Amino acid sequence: MDFQQHGYRATKPRARASPPSGGPLLFDDTSSGPPPMNRGQDPGVGNLFADPMASAAMMYGSSLANQGKDIVNKEINRFMSVNKLKYFFAVDTRYVMKKLLLLMFPYTHQDWEVRYHRDTPLTPRHDVNAPDLYIPTMAFITYILLAGMALGIQKRFSPEVLGLCASTALVWIIIEVLVMLLSLYLLTVHTDLSTFDLVAYSGYKYVGMILTVLCGLLFGSDGYFAALAWSSCALMFFIVRSLKMKILSSFSADSMGVGTSAKPHFRLYITFALAAFQPIIIYWLTAHLVR
Amino acid sequence: MAFTLYALIQTAILFTNAIAVLHEERFLSKIGWGAEQSIGGFGDEPGIKAQLLNLIRSVRTVMRVPLIAVNSVCIVLLLLFG
């Protein structure tokens, strides 16, 4: 019964297996994996541990490995908050389905507010409006594979092209996030949009790109432009509605109402500029794949 | 327009160098972008120009020493590998 439970945990890492590691975490931290099995109780590999020297060496080695892991975690935590990153990957199937549907058809969704739970935003598992990084990552990788396939169909494939495509797309994401951060800083817009949120919102366009490339491959040039128009409109609507809550309504946090006369214009410009940038970059990154 | 990661690193180094070479008293004060002109009132609306001047000044202060190291590494690598 114990072994069956371990097997279940190994195949469904997102199941609630281990208790939360303290702090206001709303999701279960399953990253440390299942607890190690008691080695001495398994008679199949018991012969290895009959030798005390071998078992002592293995204990020493495992303690060294644990120390190394702690050091690496501490160093990484200095640059990037791993807990904040884990928040973005706490998703489940239902959320992914609803979010994909929302990205491609956002016109009927009513409530765009990100719900909070005692000051911390709800994880994507509980709130469809929360940004996540799972969909952008998967969409990015799928886009690269699809680009390779599209070039292979047209007999223009070579392995360097794949790497070039991947790094081009990555560089465009970095440029977009940096420009957004710069403009948000310069206009002193006080939002709670972190860097990872911006990466998430700029990664959602890859879902539209995948759809566009697929339609271009299946239905030719007309299908490509139709899918481009559809996904551009859907994505622009999605971005404007999502960021409207975060950027435009944040001046309710300012106590002075005097200096906000010029600011709503700039915030509007930022949101619409970001939205208008999406179709351009979708066209730019997919046009060469669908001749 | 295909970007490699190397192009991104090159662009970042060039941009940071460009911001770091803007001399405070020989250039920025002459065109009215000096540091002492950005300390305006103490309201919580600094404005775009003050934010930009702040950004330039902080990039200069923070990145001066790392830029020396990164530029030296770049020079050596470009000399060796063209």
Side-chain angles (χ1 to χ4, degrees):
Chain A
M1 160 107 158
D2 209 337
F3 186 71
Q4 281 161 0
Q5 274 184 355
H6 281 304
Y8 179 77
R9 273 182 209 153
T11 53
K12 305 249 302 206
R14 289 195 295 266
R16 291 154 198 249
S18 51
S21 60
L25 289 181
L26 290 174
F27 50 92
D28 296 328
D29 193 349
T30 56
S31 69
S32 48
M37 292 202 294
N38 281 330
R39 298 190 193 98
Q41 294 176 3
D42 194 340
V45 291
N47 295 332
L48 269 184
F49 307 104
D51 184 9
M53 280 300 288
S55 62
M58 200 164 305
M59 293 290 174
Y60 183 63
S62 69
S63 82
L64 261 189
N66 277 340
Q67 279 180 10
K69 193 166 68 139
D70 286 339
I71 291 181
V72 166
N73 276 343
K74 198 155 58 91
E75 293 299 315
I76 290 185
N77 260 329
R78 266 208 263 154
F79 294 111
M80 187 171 75
S81 160
V82 184
N83 273 339
K84 190 83 172 70
L85 195 59
K86 281 186 202 161
Y87 159 82
F88 286 100
F89 284 99
V91 296
D92 60 352
T93 326
R94 202 178 51 98
Y95 168 82
V96 171
M97 287 298 182
K98 285 171 71 168
K99 193 78 177 193
L100 287 178
L101 197 63
L102 197 65
L103 277 171
M104 285 296 104
F105 196 78
Y107 308 109
T108 56
H109 189 65
Q110 304 298 337
D111 178 22
W112 291 85
E113 284 269 339
V114 177
R115 285 190 288 275
Y116 282 79
H117 170 79
R118 282 190 247 134
D119 257 4
T120 58
L122 273 180
T123 58
R125 205 176 279 161
H126 305 291
D127 177 22
V128 165
N129 295 320
D132 73 315
L133 276 176
Y134 173 80
I135 292 181
T137 317
M138 292 296 146
F140 181 71
I141 297 177
T142 312
Y143 162 73
I144 296 173
L145 295 175
L146 205 57
M149 198 180 78
L151 287 177
I153 288 180
Q154 300 166 18
K155 312 249 184 328
R156 285 190 290 151
F157 179 78
S158 76
E160 295 93 30
V161 174
L162 211 58
L164 199 61
C165 195
S167 60
T168 308
L170 195 66
V171 165
W172 275 115
I173 289 190
I174 293 178
I175 291 180
E176 186 181 344
V177 169
L178 282 180
V179 168
M180 271 303 286
L181 279 176
L182 188 70
S183 47
L184 283 180
Y185 171 76
L186 282 183
L187 298 176
T188 56
V189 175
H190 298 290
T191 74
D192 51 357
L193 278 179
S194 70
T195 314
F196 287 135
D197 286 334
L198 288 177
V199 174
Y201 281 120
S202 95
Y204 280 139
K205 67 164 84 61
Y206 284 102
V207 180
M209 267 197 244
I210 292 171
L211 188 69
T212 315
V213 172
L214 272 179
C215 289
L217 286 178
L218 289 175
F219 303 121
S221 187
D222 300 331
Y224 171 72
F225 283 111
L228 181 67
W230 174 272
S231 57
S232 307
C233 292
L235 206 61
M236 284 200 284
F237 190 84
F238 176 82
I239 293 269
V240 168
R241 289 301 294 268
S242 299
L243 292 183
K244 191 166 74 162
M245 293 293 158
K246 298 256 174 134
I247 297 184
L248 290 177
S249 60
S250 64
F251 54 65
S252 58
D254 291 346
S255 51
M256 297 171 51
V258 181
T260 59
S261 56
K263 298 181 77 183
H265 296 268
F266 284 130
R267 298 167 191 236
L268 212 59
Y269 290 158
I270 289 183
T271 324
F272 279 114
L274 184 65
F277 179 69
Q278 315 281 344
I280 299 177
I281 197 69
I282 293 181
Y283 176 73
W284 192 267
L285 285 178
T286 53
H288 66 99
L289 297 176
V290 184
R291 282 287 167 76
Chain B
M1 209 197 296
F3 293 128
T4 56
L5 278 182
Y6 177 64
L8 183 71
I9 297 178
Q10 257 190 332
T11 316
I13 294 180
L14 284 176
F15 261 120
T16 330
N17 273 328
I19 296 187
V21 299
L22 296 173
H23 195 275
E24 178 63 47
E25 60 178 53
R26 283 186 208 151
F27 175 68
L28 292 179
S29 305
K30 298 280 169 58
I31 63 171
W33 278 22
E36 69 276 0
Q37 289 138 7
S38 69
I39 308 176
F42 279 103
D44 57 348
E45 314 291 342
I48 299 186
K49 182 173 158 184
Q51 289 286 93
L52 200 56
L53 299 184
N54 231 351
L55 186 65
I56 293 179
R57 196 158 43 98
S58 35
V59 165
R60 259 210 326 270
T61 320
V62 168
M63 296 297 290
R64 194 151 266 178
V65 175
L67 266 183
I68 296 177
V70 169
N71 280 336
S72 317
V73 168
C74 260
I75 290 174
V76 169
L77 283 180
L78 282 176
L79 277 178
L80 287 180
F81 299 118

